[in-house]
Amino acid sequence: MAHDLRVEGAASEPPLWTRDFRLFFAARTTSLLGDAMLPVAITAAVLRAGYGASGVGYALAALVAPFAALIIFGGVLSDRFGARRLMIVSDAARLCSQGVLALLFLQGTPQLWQILTLLALIGAGSAIFQPGVASITPLTARDVQKANATLRISESVTVVVGPSLAGLLLAVASPAAVVALDALTYAVSGACLLLLRAVPMGPAGRDGVSTFRADLVEGWREFSARTWLWSVIVVFMLWQLAGAGPTMTLGNSALVTDHGASVFGLVMSSLGAGSVLGGIIAMRLRPRHPLRAGALSMILWTFMPLGVALGLSAPLIAVCYGVSGVGMAFWIVIFHTSVQTHVPQDVLGRVHAYDAAGSLVMKPVGQAVAGPLAVAVGSVPVLYVSASMALVACALLLAIPAVRGLKRVER
């Protein structure tokens, strides 16, 4: 596959760290830091409260389900009213939700329904925020793939730092400290976005007046017209249902139960370290057929559920998570770059919303049913099935001509 790859020379690369991109990078990174801390606190709190693996699955699903359900509407709103404006509104809404959750933790251990409700509100805020990330990235950087790789590395670093910081805070303080710090990161993110003056606050590239429904239909038409795009989403729906969803619930629960919250944080940090490496590789490697290379990288994800299913020691599980992180980071950068360079700017928010919703819609289902399935047949068989799904997904992607034949383009 060597003929299909190209390494970019430093002399030909346009500058990345402009003032706009620095502000956008700061906003995205601080927001992601809070996001990385929250799952550790929630997993530990739910298990400590006696809700078990099923409770963890419900909590994680409550965070993801509203995101998957509402992100399409978030994409329409982003294109109609402006990505930057909607992202600032989202940061303000999540700041309020996190503040309420912090207050509840200060009063004691919240009831499960209270945790689920507030996590759902946070997920809804993320649905408004996320489409703007795809829309603003190509506006703040001339090298879109390098920008995506840099943002992915940043996200991976927060995955390393966030869980470890959350674990340290949980060891010396209540979950309220983690939740309160998370709220502050949204405030910093909103402030950075307010300073991002070069990106318009309102929508860009829109002619005339259209209805919400018309915008929704136009976004779907642009999404469904690209066979390579909707094909990837269909495959990922299957992978999220039987692969990623169950692995998050059963893998995370097993790590906390068998090794403790601190080891869980360290393993997740290893996943983040692998993602950093994957982002660095994606920054330099420019495949002529990006989705073909990305599909092959998904094979590495198999190591994550396998490490837990085989009952390996904590250090070896951490290595497995790190290897999986390399593959998934490379895929994410390649896929996001393909979307941002093949889709027109004025519909990018909506198209990204459709692909994000489709990618995630089955994940909360997989998370929620993993606990009952594990009770019925055992955790290990479910994790083996999850591991095999990465191989199935890779084979399906490579079997689709529009996916394997998509060529790289420069924005």
Side-chain angles (χ1 to χ4, degrees):
M1 188 173 162
H3 67 282
D4 192 49
L5 303 177
R6 179 168 63 91
V7 177
E8 195 81 355
S12 64
E13 295 175 355
L16 176 66
W17 293 101
T18 62
R19 177 184 180 275
D20 291 333
F21 185 74
R22 287 198 301 270
L23 285 169
F24 180 57
F25 176 85
R28 184 69 175 140
T29 301
T30 53
S31 179
L32 288 169
L33 178 62
D35 292 344
M37 294 168 61
L38 188 59
V40 176
I42 292 302
T43 299
V46 170
L47 289 175
R48 193 179 305 161
Y51 296 114
S54 295
V56 173
Y58 297 144
L60 295 176
L63 187 61
V64 175
F67 178 88
L70 299 175
I71 190 172
I72 292 175
F73 302 101
V76 175
L77 293 172
S78 180
D79 285 342
R80 284 180 69 88
F81 301 109
R84 186 161 70 99
R85 177 183 296 163
L86 266 293
M87 293 171 77
I88 294 170
V89 170
S90 170
D91 279 333
R94 289 184 290 177
L95 173 62
C96 294
S97 298
Q98 293 286 84
V100 172
L101 188 56
L103 288 175
L104 289 176
F105 274 121
L106 285 172
Q107 295 174 353
T109 301
Q111 297 296 313
L112 181 59
W113 71 266
Q114 295 174 316
I115 297 174
L116 298 184
T117 300
L118 289 167
L119 288 176
L121 291 174
I122 296 168
S126 298
I128 298 176
F129 186 93
Q130 184 60 36
V133 176
S135 298
I136 289 182
T137 300
L139 294 177
T140 58
R142 284 182 284 175
D143 188 332
V144 179
Q145 180 170 328
K146 190 171 184 180
N148 278 314
T150 302
L151 292 172
R152 184 60 189 174
I153 291 171
S154 170
E155 181 176 354
S156 303
V157 170
T158 63
V159 171
V160 174
V161 175
S164 300
L165 179 59
L168 290 174
L169 290 173
L170 288 171
V172 299
S174 71
V178 182
V179 178
L181 184 58
D182 191 19
L184 293 178
T185 62
Y186 293 128
V188 174
S189 172
C192 290
L193 291 170
L194 279 171
L195 296 174
L196 196 63
R197 300 302 183 189
V199 178
M201 185 68 81
R206 292 177 62 89
D207 297 322
V209 179
S210 63
T211 65
F212 188 93
R213 181 179 181 278
D215 284 349
L216 198 64
V217 171
E218 183 185 15
W220 172 256
R221 185 168 58 246
E222 293 285 345
F223 171 79
S224 60
R226 294 166 171 81
T227 302
W228 63 269
L229 181 53
W230 65 257
S231 297
V232 168
I233 302 310
V234 170
V235 172
F236 263 69
M237 289 174 67
L238 176 63
W239 176 70
Q240 294 281 18
L241 174 64
T247 296
M248 284 193 67
T249 295
L250 300 180
N252 292 359
S253 298
L255 286 170
V256 173
T257 302
D258 298 341
H259 303 284
S262 297
V263 171
F264 171 62
L266 291 175
V267 170
M268 295 305 292
S269 296
S270 177
L271 175 65
S275 297
V276 170
L277 179 58
I280 293 173
I281 294 172
M283 187 180 293
R284 306 301 301 171
L285 201 61
R286 308 297 180 105
R288 182 180 303 171
H289 295 89
L291 297 184
R292 186 185 303 178
L296 291 172
S297 73
M298 280 196 62
I299 296 174
L300 297 178
W301 184 86
T302 304
F303 287 93
M304 184 186 296
L306 274 182
V308 180
L310 292 172
L312 301 179
S313 63
L316 288 179
I317 291 176
V319 171
C320 289
Y321 271 60
V323 171
S324 297
V326 173
M328 285 311 302
F330 184 80
W331 163 261
I332 290 171
V333 171
I334 290 296
F335 178 68
H336 285 178
T337 301
S338 298
V339 173
Q340 292 165 9
T341 54
H342 283 81
V343 177
Q345 183 69 39
D346 61 329
V347 295
L348 184 54
R350 281 166 285 173
V351 171
H352 174 69
Y354 274 110
D355 82 57
S359 298
L360 294 175
V361 68
M362 300 308 295
K363 187 173 185 178
V365 179
Q367 290 173 327
V369 303
L373 277 177
V375 172
V377 301
S379 296
V380 172
V382 176
L383 287 171
Y384 279 134
V385 171
S386 297
S388 69
M389 290 313 301
L391 303 178
V392 172
C394 175
L396 290 174
L397 291 173
L398 293 177
I400 301 170
V403 173
R404 69 171 184 268
L406 185 75
K407 292 185 178 180
R408 171 182 171 81
V409 299
E410 297 292 347
R411 188 87 177 195

